[in-house]
Amino acid sequence: PEAAPVRTEHEHDRLLGGLLSPDFHDEQACRSRYEASTLWKTSPFSVAPYLVRRLRQYEANHSRCGPRTARYREAAAQLQSGRNAGGADCRYVVWLPMQGLGNRMLSLASTFLYALLTGRVVLVHQPPEMEGLFCEPFPGTSWLLPPDFPYKDGFWSGSKESYVNMLENNVVRYDMVNNASALPAYVYLHLENTRFRFQNHTFCEEDHLLLDKFKWMVLSSDSYFAVALFLMPAYREELDRMFPAKGAVFHQLGRYLFHPGNRAWGMAQRFFAGYLAGANERLGVQVRVGPYQLAFPFEVMSEQILRCTREHGLLPQLTHNTERAAGSVRLANSIAVKAVLVVSLKPEYYDKLHGMYYSNAAASSTGQEVVVSVYQPSHDEDQRTDSRAHNERALAEIYLLSFCDEVVTTGWSTFGYVAHSLAGLRPWVLTPLDWTKMKAENACVRPESVEPCMHSLPSFDCWRSGQDLDPVVHLPFLRHCEDVPAGLQLF
Ligand code: GDP
């Protein structure tokens, strides 16, 4: 075997312990790839050499089978012919976006893990609102679905190409596992979080044996379904080898896959340099306001945030001395500065915190004067997932949150999950309020894990013969989520 190239310590860190490929040469094309890690705190997890090996293998296979290769052209032609190719060499999973950016990042990372486990190549359908949002993650090839790919719109749970529906309608049968050329040309896998359950037959082993036989799979999901892959015995050994620490899955795959494009990165970098870099400490506060369980009145929500920061010493207390703080008027390192990054669609949470610390002096728990500077990068008011500029701001803010020392996030929010998980930070999660009392028992809780929560559960029928048992009882690396008690989290 060839001797491994000698890498310096610096190179090792730059490549995130080997997560990133050394084969990207145009740094200007994607500034975030190597710059983001200079702003993160040191990762609490080491990268398994086996994961590194599997990533390099994946990249080689993606180059072999990816767009603009003869193998891809052959596969695309076979798709047109309307027949599945039994014993196919290159197999693909086409990812379709669903919901907001946080949901998309969680489902794309899950799809990538699924591809790693099943030897598929991931191709990403990039609608105009995602153009240039992320850099290419694999060297010398592209993960973008070629624009002439025919099956990328209009899928939903009721689509006739959906696996579950094909099974129900006898279009596919389990006995076809031995006769793959009898299968349709592609299968659509719909993994949507609806009322805490994925559809049945989406995470059962016999179904995956059959799904594996399709050369082409089209997948859409709003969920962090990576967790469900750990429930399937067939994948367990590989997953154990890739992730000796189960709580590192999104943290590592997210850092590997997602590199903001230069526009979003420009915003994040300018904001960091201008507002956050000079502070002694940085606290991120993500306030997700909006639909469903997140639609609480401002006074209730802001009281909960203040309770959380007070009870856990996350923000300096007001001294009620409105006169000038001690130390030099020019600051000049004589006073500690705590920066608070408020990230929200609405401006009022920023206004409240900013007003408090603008009008009052503050002190740390030891009585030392602290200047608290409060900033908010943008407040778009409403979610506008179909706008590219809006998504770029959202991505910049996810990364800015991930550069903080501590974060307070809103429960249920995939936007918040991505930020703290990329950072490798256990967040302070604002617990969902009780609508009848308009108050939460605890203002916030701190989960054991940095992992995102999978809100939706698969049916466990298939892996525990006929019994619908709680997997947390059987698998030591799983827990229920603090913010979504029915959900599942790796740790
Ligand atoms: P979730 O709905 O909280 O699970 O997160 P998603 O990211 O899936 O969807 C929410 C979307 O709303 C984001 O992707 C943004 O487009 C927008 N959004 C929500 N909160 C913020 C925020 O604090 N800042 C910005 N810039 N956009 C936000």
Side-chain angles (χ1 to χ4, degrees):
E2 273 178 52
V6 179
R7 297 204 198 295
T8 61
E9 189 78 8
H10 167 72
E11 179 78 347
H12 183 79
D13 287 352
R14 213 171 86 94
L15 300 178
L16 299 176
L19 267 187
L20 304 187
S21 160
D23 297 335
F24 283 100
H25 301 297
D26 184 0
E27 289 195 20
Q28 307 301 317
C30 180
R31 304 293 296 263
S32 68
R33 197 184 316 272
Y34 303 112
E35 288 178 4
S37 56
T38 63
L39 305 184
W40 279 319
K41 290 165 81 84
T42 310
S43 172
F45 303 102
S46 56
V47 178
Y50 185 71
L51 175 62
V52 172
R53 223 162 47 237
R54 293 288 272 110
L55 293 174
R56 298 297 91 82
Q57 276 168 5
Y58 175 88
E59 289 158 5
N61 193 46
H62 196 113
S63 294
R64 222 169 53 87
C65 300
R68 296 191 292 274
T69 63
R71 287 185 176 86
Y72 178 83
R73 280 191 292 277
E74 197 181 304
Q78 169 268 316
L79 182 63
Q80 295 295 342
S81 79
R83 297 270 309 277
N84 187 44
D89 173 19
C90 295
R91 290 176 310 123
Y92 302 86
V93 53
V94 173
W95 174 85
L96 305 181
M98 193 191 277
Q99 304 273 16
L101 185 58
N103 291 85
R104 291 180 186 198
M105 293 172 80
L106 295 184
S107 84
L108 182 48
S110 303
T111 304
F112 176 69
L113 182 59
Y114 180 59
L116 267 183
L117 290 169
T118 55
R120 289 184 186 270
V121 166
V122 181
L123 296 174
V124 170
H125 171 42
Q126 179 181 256
E129 76 268 13
M130 286 181 77
E131 242 170 65
L133 195 57
F134 297 106
C135 306
E136 292 282 355
F138 315 128
T141 179
S142 174
W143 72 342
L144 298 180
L145 183 69
D148 58 356
F149 185 84
Y151 307 116
K152 54 188 183 230
D153 296 306
F155 288 105
W156 62 296
S157 61
S159 298
K160 67 178 185 346
E161 302 87 349
S162 141
Y163 174 70
V164 175
N165 298 336
M166 290 206 292
L167 201 62
E168 204 155 281
N169 300 329
N170 252 339
V171 178
V172 300
R173 296 184 316 272
Y174 291 129
D175 61 19
M176 290 179 179
V177 83
N178 298 316
N179 184 14
S181 45
L183 293 170
Y186 72 97
V187 62
Y188 168 61
L189 193 59
H190 183 87
L191 300 176
E192 190 180 6
N193 162 33
T194 45
R195 282 174 287 129
F196 297 111
R197 279 285 191 228
F198 290 117
Q199 280 176 293
N200 204 355
H201 293 295
T202 43
F203 292 101
C204 296
E205 226 139 45
E206 53 190 344
D207 296 295
H208 277 258
L209 285 177
L210 191 54
L211 285 166
D212 264 356
K213 299 293 173 189
F214 283 91
K215 186 178 179 78
W216 285 96
M217 173 185 285
V218 176
L219 185 156
S220 70
S221 174
D222 57 354
S223 299
Y224 185 52
F225 69 85
V227 182
L229 301 172
F230 284 79
L231 299 174
M232 297 178 58
Y235 299 141
R236 192 76 48 72
E237 192 185 327
E238 272 298 292
L239 289 168
D240 280 345
R241 294 180 71 190
M242 289 194 271
F243 299 102
K246 304 287 183 295
V249 174
F250 187 85
H251 175 69
Q252 294 182 337
L253 292 183
R255 285 182 171 202
Y256 170 72
L257 281 179
F258 301 120
H259 306 284
N262 285 350
R263 280 188 306 265
W265 184 242
M267 286 190 265
Q269 184 275 330
R270 283 187 295 277
F271 194 90
F272 188 88
Y275 299 96
L276 304 177
N280 303 84
E281 284 182 317
R282 288 172 277 276
L283 172 72
V285 181
Q286 181 233 0
V287 195
R288 178 75 171 103
V289 285
Y292 317 119
Q293 55 279 84
L294 305 172
F296 286 97
F298 164 71
E299 292 74 21
V300 176
M301 193 71 181
S302 62
E303 176 48 33
Q304 193 182 354
I305 295 166
L306 292 178
R307 241 178 86 206
C308 171
T309 57
R310 190 171 57 239
E311 286 172 7
H312 299 287
L314 300 173
L315 276 178
Q317 290 304 298
L318 303 184
T319 60
H320 301 291
N321 173 5
T322 53
E323 295 180 12
R324 173 172 108 62
S328 155
V329 71
R330 284 180 164 275
L331 276 181
N333 298 333
S334 63
I335 305 179
V337 175
K338 177 140 194 168
V340 181
L341 169 73
V342 179
V343 167
S344 175
L345 286 171
K346 306 287 179 194
E348 49 263 36
Y349 298 92
Y350 157 81
D351 278 343
K352 169 110 185 176
L353 277 172
H354 177 265
M356 272 171 54
Y357 288 103
Y358 180 50
S359 314
N360 299 281
S364 70
S365 54
T366 57
Q368 194 202 358
E369 294 263 12
V370 183
V371 167
V372 178
S373 53
V374 184
Y375 309 106
Q376 177 171 11
S378 76
H379 46 85
D380 282 16
E381 290 289 338
D382 297 307
Q383 175 171 346
R384 298 202 318 271
T385 293
D386 56 1
S387 152
R388 192 187 79 185
H390 168 87
N391 290 327
E392 285 168 359
R393 285 190 286 280
L395 185 60
E397 288 167 36
I398 286 176
Y399 273 73
L400 285 167
L401 276 173
S402 80
F403 302 141
C404 291
D405 303 305
E406 294 196 277
V407 288
V408 174
T409 60
T410 311
W412 282 89
S413 170
T414 60
F415 185 99
Y417 292 165
V418 172
H420 72 71
S421 197
L422 279 175
L425 282 179
R426 288 168 54 210
W428 295 93
V429 183
L430 298 167
T431 46
L433 295 155
D434 178 341
W435 277 101
T436 54
K437 296 188 200 141
M438 278 298 176
K439 198 170 171 157
E441 210 55 48
N442 299 306
C444 54
V445 286
R446 196 169 203 202
E448 284 300 315
S449 173
V450 312
E451 275 281 293
C453 176
M454 176 177 75
H455 294 168
S456 199
L457 298 188
S459 165
F460 306 123
D461 238 11
C462 46
W463 66 281
R464 288 272 158 193
S465 57
Q467 299 163 295
D468 209 4
L469 294 181
D470 186 348
V472 167
V473 178
H474 301 281
L475 298 171
F477 50 80
L478 280 180
R479 61 199 302 284
H480 289 294
C481 316
E482 308 282 353
D483 55 336
V484 185
L488 283 183
Q489 190 182 38
L490 295 162
F491 82 116

